[in-house]
Amino acid sequence: MLRSLVGSEMCIRDRPDGHRAHFHELMQSIHIGIHELQEAQPGVTVNLPLGRTTQRKRPPAEDPVITVADALADRSGSLLCIDEMQVTDVADAMILKPILERVMSRGVRVIFTSNVPPTGLYAAPYLSQSRKFFVPCIQMLQDNLQVVRVGSGDLDYRTLPPNQDGGHLGEWFDDPEHLLEAWRAAAPHPGRVTVKLEYGRTMELVGSKTRTGGRAAYLEAESLFGDLGAWGPPDFLALADQFESVY
């Protein structure tokens, strides 16, 4: 909502809508762009000890991080809006600073929302050993952006009652039977469907068209914690791209 308000209120001359993206969606596109640049390079033969050789890709003439950042700046025009910045992946943490610095050096204004201030990013205990490498990014954000706290820090807005128009982000169920009742009411014709995830993986789940014409999915424990192994943001983005509602 905040992202939409900013995009609609700010005067952006060259591109009226700027560029808007969820943080994980943006970082996924950045990593894909870097990988494609590296894979497009010609192969070279590298000599190894004991007379052995191997084939490797020639390093790009320009830092691929900078190349991808320039492409992001071109897409953004005058404004880049990032929603739900939550840095928990070391690969994201290591490239976020040069990406944002390059984009801002191109005259792009950057606005992002987050559940924590910059000092709270990449701060989980299990990240403590590598957090020192992310501290310069935190300092850069504090030096170049204005931090604005919105609302009450003691209130989880996701727990509020539905809006007057009936729209809301989700419902909380203590009783699994209540969740099943809500699912059955919304999805009259459920069936097993195969969903494509990232990196060539697939998963089986229960899906259905809803009474309002959308698409809904019901995730069972076996689907989430079965043979797929660890889940990551790309997997949840793939689900969100294919279903409007998830139970």
Side-chain angles (χ1 to χ4, degrees):
M1 180 182 69
L2 291 174
R3 188 180 64 179
S4 298
L5 286 173
V6 169
S8 62
E9 292 297 327
M10 291 188 67
C11 179
I12 308 173
R13 299 175 188 172
D14 48 357
R15 299 190 181 183
D17 294 327
H19 183 63
R20 307 175 181 183
H22 187 277
F23 175 72
H24 290 307
E25 185 180 22
L26 175 66
M27 296 310 299
Q28 182 178 344
S29 70
I30 288 172
H31 287 299
I32 290 174
I34 293 173
H35 176 73
E36 290 177 346
L37 285 172
Q38 294 170 334
E39 287 299 304
Q41 302 305 307
V44 295
T45 301
V46 178
N47 295 321
L48 300 176
L50 304 177
R52 296 174 299 165
T53 61
T54 187
Q55 293 291 319
R56 295 178 181 172
K57 294 291 185 180
R58 185 187 302 276
E62 183 182 41
D63 185 350
V65 173
I66 299 302
T67 303
V68 171
D70 283 339
L72 176 59
D74 291 339
R75 294 198 306 271
S76 301
S78 297
L79 178 66
L80 171 62
C81 292
I82 306 172
D83 193 22
E84 294 286 342
M85 184 182 287
Q86 183 67 23
V87 188
T88 57
D89 182 85
V90 65
D92 293 343
M94 294 303 101
I95 64 173
L96 187 59
K97 181 175 182 288
I99 288 286
L100 292 181
E101 282 183 328
R102 182 69 171 189
V103 167
M104 289 189 290
S105 73
R106 294 278 305 276
V108 179
R109 289 169 286 184
V110 175
I111 296 174
F112 71 86
T113 63
S114 177
N115 291 330
V116 296
T119 52
L121 296 172
Y122 205 70
Y126 69 90
L127 299 170
S128 59
Q129 292 187 343
S130 58
R131 192 171 192 266
K132 62 183 178 182
F133 300 109
F134 187 71
V135 170
C137 183
I138 295 174
Q139 190 62 53
M140 182 272 296
L141 293 174
Q142 292 179 318
D143 291 344
N144 292 276
L145 303 178
Q146 181 180 3
V147 180
V148 179
R149 181 172 179 173
V150 179
S152 170
D154 300 326
L155 176 62
D156 185 345
Y157 290 89
R158 295 169 296 181
T159 64
L160 293 178
N163 298 328
Q164 292 182 354
D165 61 1
H168 54 285
L169 293 177
E171 296 183 32
W172 308 94
F173 296 96
D174 295 326
D175 186 347
E177 286 301 318
H178 291 166
L179 177 61
L180 283 172
E181 290 174 5
W183 162 253
R184 294 182 184 122
H189 304 294
R192 303 297 298 185
V193 295
T194 300
V195 177
K196 293 183 179 180
L197 300 177
E198 291 300 312
Y199 311 113
R201 299 184 303 160
T202 61
M203 71 174 294
E204 295 285 331
L205 53 76
V206 179
S208 173
K209 288 187 176 181
T210 65
R211 298 184 188 279
T212 57
R215 297 168 298 174
Y218 189 91
L219 296 184
E220 301 163 310
E222 301 82 56
S223 299
L224 288 174
F225 308 111
D227 298 331
L228 288 174
W231 277 63
D235 301 311
F236 292 106
L237 286 171
L239 282 178
D241 185 56
Q242 299 174 67
F243 299 99
E244 288 82 10
S245 302
V246 178
Y247 290 77

